[in-house]
Every structure is written in C-alpha cells, then in structure tokens.
Amino acid sequence: MVLKAVIIEDEKHGRETLKSMLEEFCKDVQVIAMAGSVEEAVKVLSIYSPDIVFLDIELQSGVGFDVLNQIKEPSFEVIFTTAFEKYAIKAIKFSSLDYLLKPIDLDELQEAVEKARTRMDTNIYREQLDTLMESISQGNIRPEKICLATTAGMEFIAIDDIIACKANGSYTSFILEDNNNLLVSKHLKEYENLLSEHQFMRVHNSHLINLKKVKKYIKSDGGYLIMSNDLQVNISSRKKDDLIEAMKRL
C-alpha cells in the first residue's frame, strides 16, 4: 500500500530534500503536495487526504501546531520535523509521538514512516495528539499526563500517579500509586530528562523518584527512602546532599 504524504516546511531546500529522501529511500511513500506556510498548509490539507503529514514545528508564518488547530479531526498521521531541541520537543516526547531532528537522519525517517504505516489503533493516536495539543495550546511545558509505549499498547498515566521509575537493563519500570508496574522499552535516562521539571530526582543509578511521594528518609544503613507505597529506595552517597536540598524546596 502506497502512503500519500504532504510536506509542510517553510524552506524550499528543506521541502525538496525531504521529498527526494522519501522518493529514493521510501518507495511506498508518494508525496502528493507541499506547503510553505500555515495558510498554504491549511488549504492543501483541505484539498488532499494524505496518510502522513511531515510538519515543521517552526514556520515563518507561525508554528506547525497552528495548522493542526485549524484542521477539524485530522485523519492523517503527523511526523513533526524541527531543527531545534525546544520545549515543544519535550511535549511531543510526553505524548510518545514521532519527530525528526534536522538534518533528517535516513534511518530515523524510515523508522518513523514504518511506525506510521503499522499504527493500528487510531483512537489511541488521536488521544496522543489531543494530549499534545492541549499542552501546547495552554503553553504548558509541564504536561499533566505522559504516554508510555508498553508491550501491550499505549498507556496514558497521570504524572502525579508515578511513585518511582526503576532501571531494568534497557527498559524502565514505572511504579504507580495503584501498585501496578508498567515496563517501557526506553532507558531510565530518557525519563530523567523528561520528568526533571516535575520534581523527580535520580537518587540512585537504578532509581528515579517522585519527590512528592517520599514518606520517610532513613539515615541508617547508608541512607534510604520509604516511598508512599512503602517501596524502599537506596540513595547514592553522592546524591544525599542534593536530595536533602531538593526536599527542603518542596
């Protein structure tokens, strides 16, 4: 099945480069239209019915999210593109949506296209997009929910319901208020970066904790924490002073 694609990018060179990459290396993708501004993009998307839209986050006439705000119930997959690691990228990561950093890496492009092709649950995708748009429209750089891709599918979790995250090899285990655990195929470092502004702290090589869920700090036995669900978490000796300071600021 050929996927119909629209490229929305304000730089002509960027549009042509991405089009060439798709034509040469993604043979099952057909670029049916391109646009260079918010106004042009809205017009193009009202005429065509693409399967995928490659949407530049920062356009000279606005931002890519302005395009989505003007499309009622978009029926296409969105792959964001950007040259900048800014707060919008964080919001996209919280929603587990795809984005490509410029200059676009070929392997990442092919992977993003394949994920768009094989996505089965459109309702989940719509919720991911809605979560992102809610955060962006409110100028909220601290989303209330995070979307986690597990082996069973996508889970939307309230950040305040997370007690701790535990490293499990190349996976991360999320320990939740209801005593459920979710296993996600990303390194703990990924979530340390995402959740640092939500009062989460890496207190040990294997544990990232929600500081608001700390019940007790025990000094004996090298120092450890008792979390709200009675989970015991060891503290790295080099993190103790930082932890105490962080707890004072709560």
Side-chain angles (χ1 to χ4, degrees):
M1 173 187 167
V2 174
L3 298 178
K4 295 176 291 183
V6 167
I7 297 171
I8 301 171
E9 158 72 62
D10 59 359
E11 294 184 2
K12 182 179 180 181
H13 174 71
R15 292 195 297 271
E16 295 296 339
T17 298
L18 179 53
K19 183 174 184 287
S20 296
M21 290 178 72
L22 290 168
E23 289 177 344
E24 184 172 357
F25 300 107
C26 301
K27 300 294 187 183
D28 53 357
V29 176
Q30 178 188 4
V31 178
I32 58 174
M34 297 191 290
S37 68
V38 172
E39 183 179 313
E40 189 180 357
V42 173
K43 184 177 180 180
V44 163
L45 293 175
S46 69
I47 298 172
Y48 297 94
S49 298
D51 300 304
I52 304 176
V53 172
F54 292 89
L55 180 59
D56 191 4
I57 292 175
E58 299 198 9
L59 302 168
Q60 289 183 2
S61 58
V63 293
F65 305 116
D66 294 335
V67 177
L68 295 178
N69 279 329
Q70 295 183 53
I71 302 296
K72 291 183 179 179
E73 299 185 0
S75 58
F76 45 77
E77 299 277 334
V78 181
I79 299 174
F80 296 97
T81 63
T82 182
F84 307 101
E85 278 272 18
K86 299 179 72 173
Y87 84 89
I89 294 297
K90 226 173 202 184
I92 290 169
K93 286 182 177 180
F94 269 103
S95 304
S96 283
L97 291 165
D98 282 323
Y99 73 96
L100 298 169
L101 274 179
K102 303 176 192 176
I104 293 173
D105 178 82
L106 176 58
D107 290 338
E108 292 178 359
L109 173 62
Q110 291 174 320
E111 182 180 348
V113 167
E114 188 57 29
K115 283 174 67 176
R117 171 184 292 284
T118 58
R119 196 187 303 273
M120 299 298 292
D121 196 329
T122 55
N123 290 329
I124 290 288
Y125 177 72
R126 182 93 290 108
E127 188 172 352
Q128 288 176 266
L129 200 55
D130 288 346
T131 299
L132 170 66
M133 295 306 296
E134 183 179 345
S135 296
I136 295 297
S137 65
Q138 295 174 353
N140 181 12
I141 62 172
R142 296 185 182 181
E144 295 179 358
K145 294 189 296 183
I146 186 169
C147 178
L148 302 176
T150 70
T151 54
M154 295 290 188
E155 297 272 358
F156 293 85
I157 304 298
I159 293 169
D160 283 345
D161 288 344
I162 303 169
I163 293 175
C165 305
K166 183 180 179 181
N168 189 351
S170 60
Y171 291 78
T172 297
S173 179
F174 279 74
I175 302 161
L176 308 178
E177 278 279 14
D178 58 7
N179 288 322
N180 279 336
N181 287 12
L182 293 176
L183 192 63
V184 182
S185 59
K186 288 185 179 179
H187 288 276
L188 184 61
K189 182 68 176 177
E190 173 90 9
Y191 296 107
E192 180 183 3
N193 293 335
L194 275 184
L195 295 170
S196 60
E197 295 178 354
H198 292 260
Q199 295 179 310
F200 279 69
M201 182 178 179
R202 186 86 169 257
V203 295
H204 190 274
N205 190 46
S206 61
H207 274 97
L208 174 70
I209 65 155
N210 185 342
L211 293 169
K212 292 178 287 186
K213 301 296 183 181
V214 174
K215 186 162 70 174
K216 292 181 183 178
Y217 168 47
I218 309 297
K219 293 182 179 179
S220 60
D221 298 324
Y224 61 93
L225 299 171
I226 304 295
M227 306 302 291
S228 59
N229 66 342
D230 293 326
L231 173 71
Q232 182 174 313
V233 178
N234 292 330
I235 307 167
S236 169
S237 58
R238 61 187 179 84
K239 291 287 188 178
K240 287 181 183 178
D241 290 343
D242 291 340
L243 171 65
I244 292 170
E245 286 302 313
M247 294 298 295
K248 286 178 181 178
R249 292 194 297 268
L250 284 179

